[in-house]
Structures are given as C-alpha cells and as structure tokens.
C-alpha cells in the first residue's frame, strides 16, 4: 500500500461496476437546474451492477 498526502492507495484493484452514465448525466443536469432555480435538490443514488471479468 502506498500513501500520498491525505489518501492512500492499495495495489489491489477494485471490482468493475457497470454504471448508468446516461441517468447519472441527466440527474447531474437536473440538480444543477434545481440549484440555479433556488430549489433544494434531492439526492439520487443510481444503481450499479457488478461486472464479472473473464479473468476472474
């Protein structure tokens, strides 16, 4: 494990996850527009799906 400033990094790779990038982008735009309009944005946690690698 190596350390750099306030964060540390392990040599073990995190498992890959599939993320719905279209939904994430849409939600980011909605939150930004809510903020611009003076509204309190609601938090949304999009689902992620683990991806099993062939090499695993």
């Amino acid at each position: 494990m190596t350390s750099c400033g306030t964060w540390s990094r392990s040599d073990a790779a995190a498992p890959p996850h599939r993320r719905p990038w279209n939904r994430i982008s849409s939600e980011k735009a909605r939150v930004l527009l809510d903020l611009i309009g003076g509204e309190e944005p609601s938090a949304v946690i999009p689902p992620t799906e683990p991806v099993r690698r062939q090499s695993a």
Side-chain angles (χ1 to χ4, degrees):
M1 182 179 286
T2 60
S3 180
C4 180
T6 59
W7 61 276
S8 62
R9 177 182 63 84
S10 171
D11 290 332
H17 285 81
R18 187 171 290 124
R19 295 172 181 87
W21 292 113
N22 289 340
R23 181 170 175 198
I24 291 171
S25 299
S26 296
E27 289 298 324
K28 284 183 178 185
R30 184 190 58 77
V31 167
L32 180 60
L33 292 173
D34 285 350
L35 288 170
I36 291 171
E39 297 177 32
E40 187 70 26
S42 60
V44 175
I45 301 173
T48 59
E49 178 185 335
V51 176
R52 189 169 284 262
R53 294 182 178 178
Q54 295 292 331
S55 60

